[in-house]
Amino acid sequence: MQSEKPYLLFPYRFMRFNEDVLLVNEAGEFIFLSEDDFARLLSYQLETNSETFLNLKSKHIVTNSDPTLPIYLLATKYRTKKSFLNDFTALHIFIVTLRCNQKCRYCQASSEDETKTEFDMDLYTAKKCVDMVFKSPSPTIKIEFQGGEPLLNFEIVKYIVQYSEKLNKIHHKRLEFVICTNLLAIDEQILRYLEGHNIWISTSLDGPKDIHDANRITRKGSGTYDIISKNIKLAKEKLGNHRVDALMVTTKNNVSQLNKVIDEYLKQGFCSIFIRTLHPFGRATKEKLGYDVETFFENYKKALTYIIQLNLDGVTISEQYATIILTKILTPFPVGFVDLQSPAGTGIGCAVYGFNGDVFVSDEARMLAKMGDHRFLMGNVRRNSYEEIFKGTVTQEAIENSCVESLPQCSECAFQVYCGADPVRNYYGQNDLIGHRPTSEFHQLNFLVIRHLMELIKENNQDIMNVFWSWITNRSIDEIKGLNRG
Ligand code: SF4
């Protein structure tokens, strides 16, 4: 430490935040300072016995003693935050068919007609894909079946499950399965199979009947709400409530009616919702179902207020996007959400296996290929080795260009530790892997949502904080209150 200075500053990023200044260290610990205290901190005039200084010291932003221990502690916290990098690819998405019995107006996968079996994954390719998956060093392997509609090629789903289970007798990994299905073709026999092999269901529900049926239709054009409502109930009865999840897509049809969507989720027995934006791929671009970031954000804020109030009124429901960001802000732990991490999960957190064995860095990369651009194709399981696919230039470029620590604007952003990068969306939207933050919707949306959550945290309303901690820890509010009482 330089002797003329009373304390040492560790690395941090800062941002003007209303009347105060927000400081965030490398591990995501944060503090709000008044402008005056911030000026005093920078000019080394903070009293080292003041409360402000001690708070800064406890957050590892300053030290007035031997820095060895705080640097060690900071490094440990940083390592924990980045521990998602330890294990390499855990999520493996199998596109077992491009065929679908629905033709949703926003379909990102641009699905094929039910009769076109040439778009099904065959046995040989399925075997090669599973062999590739088990080369991943990750102790957890999650295989997610997507399409098209995976139930239309259920024999291959069964083969993949059983072959994976067989290989896992040698590899002893934590093996999980999820099937992403519109539930149209589900029946008792399929549900028995899913139950027997501990396969979870992720389905789609966009809201009550009028909203859901506006976009989610069969190939003949009729709405699917009635049948999927019946089948959600059936699936929950057979598999248990916790093993059936649903996702919604926000379009211009439901963006201003999110409260109705939330009510529908509660009516169908779900206790969480992920208010997701529309991704601009496939049919979604042609059908003009989009909206601007401000419209989404204003409605998202209202929906979040509504969900918080529901919790305060004794109804259990969480919002998953907020929960992911709150976990990043309020805990030292990584969340394993590949869409919001640095470097991006492209290839190293998630890989997508097309019906023909092509391997992509992400689902969006596969959708881009369907639109004719194979920029993010890592290789093919039938032709390439594991090393060629996962250590090739496509993966390396995606990783290299998605470290927020070195991206323009992100590198100085106080929200950096809570955010991430998406090189595929940058490439698609801005023709550049690095992207241009001032005009990036990914940046605009994450910035607004993180800032809003930070504002709520800064207010420090105990009731709201109890709701947030109940989401983060998956506990009831009463349990959180009990923990607060000590
Ligand atoms: S994308 Fe935006 S909000 Fe996120 S770290 Fe970069 S500059 Fe900050």
Side-chain angles (χ1 to χ4, degrees), residues 408-410 430 435-441 443-444:
Q409 195 168 328
C410 297
Q430 305 186 312
H436 177 247
R437 241 58 60 208
T439 51
S440 150
E441 291 195 350
H443 152 73
Q444 287 159 9

Side-chain angles (χ1 to χ4, degrees), residues 53-335:
F53 183 86
L54 294 175
N55 284 338
L56 284 161
K57 190 174 176 179
S58 75
K59 306 276 181 186
H60 303 306
I61 292 173
V62 292
T63 187
N64 59 342
S65 49
D66 180 354
T68 312
L69 183 63
I71 287 174
Y72 177 80
L73 290 172
L74 201 50
T76 305
K77 288 178 182 178
Y78 186 78
R79 244 191 339 264
T80 306
K81 253 314 188 230
K82 293 283 185 188
S83 59
F84 63 87
L85 290 171
N86 293 351
D87 299 330
F88 219 65
T89 324
L91 175 61
H92 301 263
I93 296 175
F94 279 49
I95 311 301
V96 290
T97 181
L98 288 183
R99 293 187 293 139
C100 191
N101 43 12
Q102 288 193 188
K103 197 171 185 180
C104 300
R105 293 192 209 282
Y106 50 60
C107 181
Q108 295 157 358
S110 299
S111 61
E112 298 291 342
D113 192 84
E114 276 177 87
T115 56
K116 294 191 174 172
T117 51
E118 66 268 31
F119 292 107
D120 283 1
M121 185 178 277
D122 62 28
L123 206 71
Y124 177 74
T125 308
K127 180 179 182 304
K128 293 294 246 180
C129 288
V130 176
D131 288 337
M132 192 63 72
V133 166
F134 276 88
K135 293 206 165 81
S136 168
S138 174
T140 297
I141 294 292
K142 184 186 214 174
I143 295 180
E144 194 171 292
F145 299 104
Q146 288 192 19
E149 168 50 46
L151 291 185
L152 298 188
N153 195 11
F154 196 59
E155 285 308 309
I156 284 293
V157 170
K158 289 199 299 195
Y159 170 78
I160 292 166
V161 168
Q162 281 153 231
Y163 183 48
S164 302
E165 287 170 342
K166 184 176 160 195
L167 285 190
N168 205 35
K169 290 200 171 109
I170 305 162
H171 293 278
H172 306 293
K173 294 181 185 270
R174 194 164 57 239
L175 183 59
E176 299 169 9
F177 299 105
V178 178
I179 187 160
C180 301
T181 166
N182 61 32
L183 286 179
L184 250 58
I186 203 96
D187 59 26
E188 299 256 358
Q189 202 182 343
I190 294 173
L191 282 169
R192 261 198 305 278
Y193 186 86
L194 301 185
E195 186 189 15
H197 293 268
N198 196 21
I199 303 170
W200 293 45
I201 286 179
S202 175
T203 191
S204 299
L205 177 67
D206 279 359
K209 186 173 167 65
D210 57 328
I211 293 175
H212 183 91
D213 286 351
N215 289 323
R216 299 196 61 83
I217 51 175
T218 63
R219 296 198 91 78
K220 289 193 178 136
S222 48
T224 56
Y225 175 87
D226 292 334
I227 183 156
I228 77 129
S229 299
K230 184 170 89 41
N231 288 344
I232 286 174
K233 192 163 175 280
L234 183 69
K236 286 185 173 221
E237 278 166 13
K238 292 281 173 215
L239 304 183
N241 199 35
H242 66 290
R243 284 209 273 163
V244 182
D245 202 0
L247 285 175
M248 55 90 59
V249 174
T250 309
T251 63
K252 68 176 183 190
N253 301 108
N254 61 8
V255 68
S256 59
Q257 304 187 74
L258 293 174
N259 289 12
K260 283 192 192 171
V261 179
I262 295 158
D263 289 343
E264 179 66 27
Y265 268 64
L266 287 170
K267 185 179 135 193
Q268 303 254 7
F270 294 106
C271 39
S272 83
I273 185 167
F274 195 148
I275 302 178
R276 290 193 315 161
T277 53
L278 183 72
H279 279 199
F281 293 94
R283 234 167 258 144
T285 44
K286 293 190 204 129
E287 292 276 349
K288 299 196 173 27
L289 291 168
Y291 35 78
D292 56 39
V293 172
E294 287 74 23
T295 303
F296 176 83
F297 176 63
E298 285 311 314
N299 286 289
Y300 176 82
K301 256 196 319 188
K302 285 185 204 154
L304 199 62
T305 306
Y306 180 57
I307 295 175
I308 291 169
Q309 190 55 50
L310 282 168
N311 281 272
L312 295 177
D313 294 342
V315 180
T316 301
I317 181 162
S318 62
E319 202 288 308
Q320 291 178 31
Y321 183 29
T323 305
I324 288 164
I325 293 172
L326 288 166
T327 307
K328 284 172 165 250
I329 296 174
L330 295 172
T331 82
F333 306 113
V335 287

